[in-house]
Amino acid sequence: MSVFDIFKQLDAQRAAEAAKPVQPVEWLVVGLGNPGSKYDNTRHNAGFRALESWCARTGSRIDKMKFKALVGEATLGGARVLLMKPQTFMNLSGEAVRDAAAFYKIPPARILILSDDVSLDVGTLRVRPKGSAGGQNGLKNIIYHLGSEDFPRVKIGVGKKPHPDYDLAAWVLSKFTADEQQAIDKACADAMEAAACVIEKGCAAAAQQYNGKRI
């Protein structure tokens, strides 16, 4: 085979790849957090951290600005998903989720949210098929904009307040300690595995496998 034949074959392969139909987005997988480097490693950014951990392991990218969020497409749990990191700050996360859901015609049942949870110990996970915001302002805003609580979520434990009088806003914006890093890193990795399980097998199966999971 000549060099020209090799190039011709490569061109044919590229054309065939380009002609393959692109699988439509079936799910939204949304990590909650606040944009900006000053919020890195804070408890409130556990959702962002889970997505970033998964991208570091798989080579996926969340780097396009759309729907007031950084987004990227990937395959997770056998489905085509839109990975989202809303850039609206936590309290307005629902704006990004609403816009993406409307564009792709995704119902709440296929919108999976990764969020921090101050009622769970650091590193603990809790999968839920639906429910109230539980005081988490990002979830509260998503419920408001979707007009529904019926969306699955994977909650990532970030630890309870040191004492009852401790300001909640100050706590969720505080950074994880050195002693907590291993537990939160493992939980964020497990959170994406739990998300894949939700998509592939349903919330009940994911809850059975991952709820309460610790390092």
Side-chain angles (χ1 to χ4, degrees), residues 96-150:
V97 176
R98 175 202 61 202
D99 291 352
F103 182 84
Y104 290 108
K105 297 179 172 57
I106 305 292
R110 287 193 274 117
I111 299 173
L112 192 153
I113 309 297
L114 302 154
S115 70
D116 62 288
D117 192 312
V118 296
S119 71
L120 302 174
D121 292 339
V122 175
T124 305
L125 298 182
R126 181 176 290 160
V127 178
R128 287 287 183 266
K130 58 184 178 180
S132 68
Q136 214 281 357
N137 287 331
L139 290 174
K140 187 184 299 183
N141 196 249
I142 291 169
I143 290 169
Y144 170 76
H145 282 287
L146 294 181
S148 174
E149 297 181 346
D150 298 338

Side-chain angles (χ1 to χ4, degrees), residues 126-205:
R126 181 176 290 160
V127 178
R128 287 287 183 266
K130 58 184 178 180
S132 68
Q136 214 281 357
N137 287 331
L139 290 174
K140 187 184 299 183
N141 196 249
I142 291 169
I143 290 169
Y144 170 76
H145 282 287
L146 294 181
S148 174
E149 297 181 346
D150 298 338
F151 54 85
R153 65 283 308 260
V154 178
K155 298 182 177 185
I156 303 166
V158 298
K160 302 174 180 67
K161 294 189 298 181
H163 54 79
D165 295 334
Y166 200 100
D167 181 68
L168 180 59
W171 177 243
V172 296
L173 294 178
S174 68
K175 294 182 182 290
F176 290 102
T177 66
D179 290 341
E180 294 171 324
Q181 294 300 331
Q182 187 177 9
I184 192 61
D185 283 344
K186 180 66 162 58
C188 286
D190 285 343
M192 289 302 294
E193 298 299 327
C197 189
V198 169
I199 292 170
E200 186 174 10
K201 300 178 180 178
C203 281

Side-chain angles (χ1 to χ4, degrees), residues 15-81:
E17 288 294 324
K20 285 183 180 178
V22 177
Q23 186 179 354
V25 168
E26 303 169 273
W27 282 74
L28 304 182
V29 177
V30 186
L32 299 186
N34 287 308
S37 58
K38 74 176 183 176
Y39 296 105
D40 290 348
N41 199 38
T42 59
R43 297 172 197 276
H44 228 12
N45 273 38
F48 276 14
R49 188 166 178 160
L51 289 180
E52 290 160 2
S53 169
W54 191 77
C55 286
R57 296 194 310 275
T58 64
S60 296
R61 300 170 68 92
I62 306 174
D63 57 2
K64 295 182 175 64
M65 192 68 186
K66 195 174 183 181
F67 311 119
K68 301 178 184 176
L70 285 172
V71 304
E73 291 190 26
T75 299
L76 187 69
R80 194 67 180 168
V81 304

Side-chain angles (χ1 to χ4, degrees), residues 6-20:
I6 293 172
F7 281 122
K8 187 176 180 180
Q9 190 176 57
L10 288 172
D11 286 340
Q13 289 174 351
R14 292 192 194 101
E17 288 294 324
K20 285 183 180 178

